[in-house]
Amino acid sequence: MDDGLRKRATGAAGAAAAAAAADAKSLADAQRRADDEDKAPPLLSPGIPTMPKGSLIVALLITAIALWTRLYKINWAAYVVWDEAHFGKFAGHYIKRTFYFDVHPPLGKMINGFAGLIAGFNGTFEFESGAKYPAELSYGVMRFFNGLFGAFMAPLAYYTGIHLHMSQLGAILLAVLVIVDNAFCTISRFILLDSMLLFFTALSVYTLVVFRNYQKTSPFSPEWFFWLLASGVSIGAVTSVKWVGLFAIALVGIHTIDDLWDMLGNLKISMKTYANHWIARIAFLIIVPISIYMASFAMHFAILNRSGPGDAQMSSLFQAGLQGIDFSDNPLELAFGSKVSIKSNSRGGGLLHSHVQRYPSGSEQQQVTCYHHKDSNNEFIVEKPWGVETNEDAEPEFVQDGDIIRLVHASTQKNLHSHAVAAPITKGENEVSCYGNATFGDTNDHWVVEKVDDWYAGQALKRIRSLTTRFRLRHKNSGCLLRADGVTLPQWGFKQIEVVCQKKGDLSSTSNMWNIEKHENQRLPPGGKKAYRSSFIRNFIDLNVAMWTSNNALTPDPDKEPDQLVSKPYHWPFLLRGLRMCGWGDSDIKYYLLGNPIVWWGSTATIGLLSLLFTVYIVRWRRGFRDFKTLDEWDNFYFAVKIGILGWFLHYMPFYIMGRVMYLHHYFPALYFAIITMSYFIDHMGSKLPRMLHTALLLATMAVTTAVFLFYADFSFGMQGPASAYANRKWLKAWNIS
């Protein structure tokens, strides 16, 4: 019995030892698995955040507060403030249906036109800067529309924060920073484009963020398709308001390439599925935005079907389709003795022009320029060269390819002329002037017509037709080509376009090509409307080229520097300069465009801090540290950094290479991304603190920024009395408040 007990005890001890060894092995295996899991990236968790409790009520409250800030006292200034002089006037053109020209795409201006229609605007008020609004014009309704766009940025910001996986209070902070920025508030209260630009920028960010979350969880689901489409519509809309929207397209494009590159390395995704991802993005993120952009121009052309002040910026064929333009009376083919206006085919066009003023240097002969407005100084008479008689009793003699002609300026009777004298601005080319008179001149007045092509007749026809034939004018003696390349003359040339004779003539350059626009000859029959037709695509391209050219021509004017209207990109992140939006007399209601200093300085600082933090996390990850519990947390952090910092970079840095004049409001889209960065950084760092401290940090940021907003609220809502009364708000010397 003792032996049996000993055996059983020995067996139990062996079993216990075996069990202990098995437990130790299991523990070791578990530890190895834990170590392996620490080294390998964990699986992604669902990307769609759960809406916080009461989020709808929060969003409605945010919207209500934003509406109050954007609409309070919006009618107070009963006069045209700042760029209302432009965009209010453009609204009037839509109501009158008269064609005008502007450097911005038409969507935002059509919305202002619709607001004017609702307000009962008949289009007759000219919106002269500082002019008092007439009693019959409900200008407050037009401002109200702009205010709505500015206000609805705030709930978009809130929901963007939620979908960036911020805490609910962090998302509220994002919305509050949008609401309490004084610059955002001020710019939303007038008849401008900026509130629409900012709204569609915010919408583009929101739709991209939501789509990205569905991409993580349920690609090719109905929701996935909806938000992909919404993203394409948003970037199409923002680009149709201002070309700054192209930077939003760049952000979406970079994220899309990043996303597709990641998918390429995922072997679980078949090549067919991967190809479908490409097809969907091409359809929704390329074709849809382009379609919306082009559709806005189609509406623009359909509404503005009457002749107006912007005609000369467009091609001659486009103008022929406008009501009030009598190009259908143009004789079809050019003949000697015809009186014509000659349009440049360079970017933005312009009509060959001369006036009695002379060049201040060089030959000091009569100036020749290109001019975008129609007047009698654009008219030239086509004559035969010196020494060749014209028989006025014979049948009209048509001008053909290779003919030598003389162009006589109708108003001054001087001849279009060139010689070996340097042009006034482009010194490497020959000057073009008007010289002599109807009976006196020389062979430097002779030009050879070189046909390039014809929109309808092609190369077979040698004659020159009105509107449709493009041709070059080659100087007979020197061989140079008449050219207008968009170079702007100084004030002595009335800021018109320089015309030169290019020595080494570029045959392919449209700057050396011209066409007959207005054509009068009593001896020839009219061509009729069917002879002069244009297409939407041609008109669309012509207008966009003209917009690009004119936008680049908006160079800084030194006369504006003393009033500090213009600014430089380096001013903006540090809020080194504000902008007076109106007259500054003691009796004027005054508005000063200035951001909330805490928001601007804080957002600039957090751009740097979040970039540094991102770098630290990357270095620590390479050293084996794990600062995020799951790959999903890291992926969300990386995406938020990409949206905030890359979005800011794309909307800000390009201004350093632009030559055009710039103002404070050009920074506003970049500011929105900086505000996303600021709120995300504060929320992220606060999440590492105890919950109460995290909450206190967010609430304190809201309280401070709100207090500063209220301190500067009069800048947005209107200042009355002497500006010196607001001197205590001048935190920086460069702020020209008083």
Side-chain angles (χ1 to χ4, degrees):
M1 184 175 178
D2 291 340
D3 291 339
L5 288 173
R6 280 195 298 272
K7 289 178 181 179
R8 286 196 294 274
T10 302
D23 289 343
K25 184 177 184 301
S26 297
L27 184 61
D29 289 342
Q31 184 62 49
R32 279 194 298 272
R33 284 195 301 272
D35 291 342
D36 290 341
E37 288 174 0
D38 189 49
K39 294 175 183 176
L43 296 176
L44 288 173
S45 61
I48 306 298
T50 302
M51 286 295 109
K53 186 177 180 180
S55 60
L56 179 59
I57 295 174
V58 171
L60 291 174
L61 183 60
I62 285 170
T63 304
I65 296 171
L67 284 169
W68 179 83
T69 62
R70 272 49 176 176
L71 303 180
Y72 175 64
K73 296 171 70 174
I74 201 167
N75 285 352
W76 193 20
Y79 63 90
V80 178
V81 176
W82 198 41
D83 277 354
E84 287 186 330
H86 299 300
F87 300 112
K89 184 181 296 182
F90 297 154
H93 284 299
Y94 287 107
I95 292 168
K96 294 184 294 185
R97 304 190 68 176
T98 51
F99 192 81
Y100 73 93
F101 175 79
D102 181 49
V103 298
H104 301 301
L107 179 60
K109 294 171 292 186
M110 286 192 290
I111 293 172
N112 278 332
F114 176 73
L117 190 65
I118 298 297
F121 180 33
N122 61 11
T124 57
F125 181 63
E126 290 297 322
F127 280 86
E128 297 295 334
S129 183
K132 186 175 181 180
Y133 282 113
E136 65 272 15
L137 175 55
S138 299
Y139 62 93
V141 175
M142 299 179 72
R143 289 177 177 173
F144 176 81
F145 268 76
N146 284 265
L148 290 180
F149 281 99
F152 291 147
M153 278 182 68
L156 280 176
Y158 169 68
Y159 281 116
T160 298
I162 294 296
H163 281 274
L164 283 173
H165 299 272
M166 295 169 64
S167 68
Q168 182 175 24
L169 202 56
I172 293 173
L173 172 62
L174 173 53
V176 167
L177 294 182
V178 168
I179 292 173
V180 302
D181 182 67
N182 299 80
F184 279 176
C185 180
T186 306
I187 207 70
S188 300
R189 297 166 57 82
F190 300 102
I191 306 167
L192 306 170
L193 299 182
D194 298 275
S195 64
M196 302 174 211
L197 174 68
L198 289 168
F199 170 80
F200 286 119
T201 299
L203 184 63
S204 299
V205 175
Y206 173 64
T207 54
L208 174 62
V209 170
V210 178
F211 168 73
R212 173 259 180 184
N213 288 336
Y214 278 104
Q215 169 63 28
K216 289 178 62 179
T217 57
S218 51
F220 299 109
S221 66
E223 296 83 1
W224 183 90
F225 277 109
F226 173 81
W227 288 106
L228 181 60
L229 173 62
S231 183
V233 170
S234 300
I235 59 178
V238 70
T239 309
S240 299
V241 174
K242 281 189 176 184
W243 278 347
V244 173
L246 291 170
F247 303 143
I249 289 180
L251 176 64
V252 173
I254 291 173
H255 168 73
T256 300
I257 292 171
D258 188 15
D259 196 25
L260 290 169
W261 179 254
D262 280 347
M263 282 190 281
L264 184 62
N266 187 345
L267 300 181
K268 294 181 180 179
I269 298 177
S270 68
M271 290 309 297
K272 180 180 178 181
T273 301
Y274 184 68
N276 287 336
H277 276 286
W278 271 95
I279 292 169
R281 284 160 174 79
I282 290 170
F284 289 105
L285 298 182
I286 297 178
I287 296 175
V288 167
I290 291 174
S291 299
I292 289 174
Y293 184 75
M294 294 181 71
S296 71
F297 280 88
M299 292 177 62
H300 179 72
F301 292 143
I303 296 171
L304 305 180
N305 63 349
R306 298 173 182 167
S307 176
D311 295 357
Q313 290 281 355
M314 297 299 291
S315 72
S316 303
L317 274 177
F318 172 82
Q319 296 177 56
L322 295 174
Q323 296 178 21
I325 296 286
D326 57 354
F327 288 169
S328 60
D329 294 336
N330 281 4
L332 186 60
E333 295 176 338
L334 180 66
F336 288 100
S338 292
K339 183 165 70 173
V340 299
S341 60
I342 304 174
K343 186 173 179 63
S344 169
N345 280 222
S346 64
R347 294 176 179 176
L351 294 163
L352 189 65
H353 178 93
S354 187
H355 38 238
V356 296
Q357 286 78 12
R358 296 173 176 270
Y359 289 116
S361 59
S363 70
E364 299 185 8
Q365 293 174 3
Q366 185 170 297
Q367 296 176 18
V368 172
T369 66
C370 243
Y371 189 46
H372 284 104
H373 299 277
K374 298 178 182 180
D375 64 28
S376 60
N377 281 329
N378 302 332
E379 296 174 349
F380 291 81
I381 301 169
V382 181
E383 298 284 7
K384 289 194 172 183
W386 294 113
V388 179
E389 296 294 331
T390 301
N391 185 355
E392 296 183 359
D393 294 329
E395 289 294 316
E397 187 176 347
F398 294 100
V399 177
Q400 300 192 68
D401 181 28
D403 281 352
I404 300 173
I405 65 171
R406 189 163 49 89
L407 291 172
V408 180
H409 188 237
S411 296
T412 63
Q413 291 297 297
K414 294 183 182 296
N415 303 285
L416 189 71
H417 182 91
S418 186
H419 41 216
V421 175
I425 305 299
T426 311
K427 298 294 186 182
E429 309 297 354
N430 287 346
E431 178 191 86
V432 176
S433 64
C434 271
Y435 170 73
N437 54 44
T439 60
F440 172 75
D442 58 34
T443 56
N444 279 332
D445 304 333
H446 292 169
W447 301 85
V448 180
V449 177
E450 296 180 353
K451 179 181 174 182
V452 177
D453 54 30
D454 190 284
W455 291 114
Y456 297 129
Q459 295 288 355
L461 185 69
K462 296 300 182 182
R463 293 179 179 179
I464 305 301
R465 287 189 166 185
S466 302
L467 276 69
T468 62
T469 301
R470 296 193 301 174
F471 57 86
R472 293 181 289 266
L473 289 173
R474 186 179 295 278
H475 191 242
K476 175 62 177 174
N477 287 353
S478 66
C480 59
L481 291 177
L482 190 71
R483 178 180 181 84
D485 195 26
V487 177
T488 304
L489 293 170
Q491 192 59 52
W492 56 257
F494 306 101
K495 298 295 181 102
Q496 295 173 13
I497 303 301
E498 180 189 37
V499 173
V500 302
C501 203
Q502 189 181 41
K503 296 176 184 177
K504 296 181 180 179
D506 182 356
L507 299 183
S508 63
S509 173
T510 57
S511 297
N512 296 334
M513 298 178 190
W514 306 80
N515 68 265
I516 301 300
E517 184 167 283
K518 182 64 178 173
H519 181 190
E520 297 178 10
N521 193 319
Q522 298 299 321
R523 304 173 67 197
L524 298 174
K529 289 186 177 180
K530 291 184 178 180
Y532 310 119
R533 299 185 309 272
S534 188
S535 67
F536 167 72
I537 294 297
R538 185 179 299 155
N539 297 337
F540 171 78
I541 293 172
D542 283 348
L543 180 52
N544 277 267
V545 168
M547 289 161 53
W548 174 266
T549 304
S550 297
N551 191 62
N552 289 338
L554 295 174
T555 52
D557 187 344
D559 294 337
K560 293 183 178 180
E561 291 288 352
D563 199 31
Q564 293 186 320
L565 288 177
V566 301
S567 57
K568 302 291 185 183
Y570 70 85
H571 291 144
W572 303 336
F574 307 104
L575 199 58
L576 298 180
R577 183 168 293 180
L579 188 148
R580 293 181 181 181
M581 300 181 71
C582 52
W584 221 243
D586 290 353
S587 60
D588 295 327
I589 299 171
K590 296 173 283 294
Y591 297 91
Y592 192 68
L593 189 61
L594 186 76
N596 185 318
I598 304 303
V599 173
W600 285 53
W601 296 336
S603 63
T604 300
T606 52
I607 289 286
L609 291 172
L610 187 59
S611 300
L612 178 61
L613 181 64
F614 180 79
T615 304
V616 168
Y617 282 152
I618 292 292
V619 172
R620 284 174 55 82
W621 177 79
R622 294 296 296 171
R623 298 293 297 169
F625 295 96
R626 296 296 180 263
D627 295 298
F628 296 89
K629 295 178 182 178
T630 65
L631 180 59
D632 186 58
E633 286 188 12
W634 163 254
D635 192 51
N636 290 336
F637 175 81
Y638 167 73
F639 179 71
V641 170
K642 180 166 59 177
I643 290 295
I645 295 178
L646 181 60
W648 173 84
F649 181 90
L650 291 172
H651 284 78
Y652 173 58
M653 290 301 174
F655 285 100
Y656 280 97
I657 60 175
M658 293 184 188
R660 61 153 292 163
V661 63
M662 285 173 275
Y663 303 94
L664 182 66
H665 67 278
H666 287 130
Y667 184 64
F668 290 177
L671 176 65
Y672 181 68
F673 291 94
I675 287 175
I676 291 175
T677 302
M678 178 178 177
S679 55
Y680 186 85
F681 177 80
I682 293 173
D683 188 48
H684 177 76
M685 298 306 293
S687 67
K688 301 181 180 300
L689 302 173
R691 184 173 180 179
M692 289 188 63
L693 290 179
H694 182 195
T695 301
L697 176 63
L698 295 172
L699 291 176
T701 306
M702 294 183 208
V704 171
T705 52
T706 301
V708 174
F709 168 77
L710 295 173
F711 182 65
Y712 285 98
D714 287 343
F715 288 8
S716 301
F717 300 146
M719 298 179 282
Q720 197 168 31
S724 58
Y726 299 89
N728 65 324
R729 291 162 174 79
K730 188 175 180 178
W731 287 4
L732 295 183
K733 185 178 179 180
W735 295 354
N736 59 332
I737 298 166
S738 57

